[in-house]
């Protein structure tokens, strides 16, 4: 029975260490995902609101509504 208890304790410790390692890997990726989401949001806003070309020198600027 003593050998079984030791094996069970080692198995639980091994599973816990694998779970912690996987969780650390996942959490290390969070900042990159947030940065990528911000860049995607900025690109979408720029796509939805195209820039107006500047007026030529002899034209008056457009009036704001």
């Amino acid at each position: 029975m003593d050998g079984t208890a030791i094996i069970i304790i080692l198995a639980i410790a091994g599973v816990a260490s694998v779970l912690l390692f996987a969780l650390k890997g996942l959490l290390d990726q969070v900042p990159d995902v947030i940065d990528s989401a911000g860049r995607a949001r900025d690109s979408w806003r720029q796509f939805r609101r195209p820039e107006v070309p500047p007026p030529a020198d002899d034209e008056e600027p457009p009036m704001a509504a």
Side-chain angles (χ1 to χ4, degrees):
M1 188 68 176
D2 287 336
T4 305
I6 292 172
I7 296 296
I8 290 173
I9 291 170
L10 288 174
I12 291 171
V15 168
S17 71
V18 168
L19 288 176
L20 288 174
F21 183 75
L23 181 64
K24 181 189 178 304
L26 182 67
L27 291 177
D28 284 344
Q29 294 177 3
V30 170
D32 293 333
V33 170
I34 292 171
D35 291 340
S36 180
R39 287 192 307 270
R41 183 190 63 231
D42 294 342
S43 295
W44 178 252
R45 286 182 181 166
Q46 185 178 4
F47 173 75
R48 297 279 296 164
R49 180 187 48 180
E51 294 182 15
V52 177
D57 291 337
D58 57 348
E59 294 181 14
E60 293 183 15
M63 299 296 288

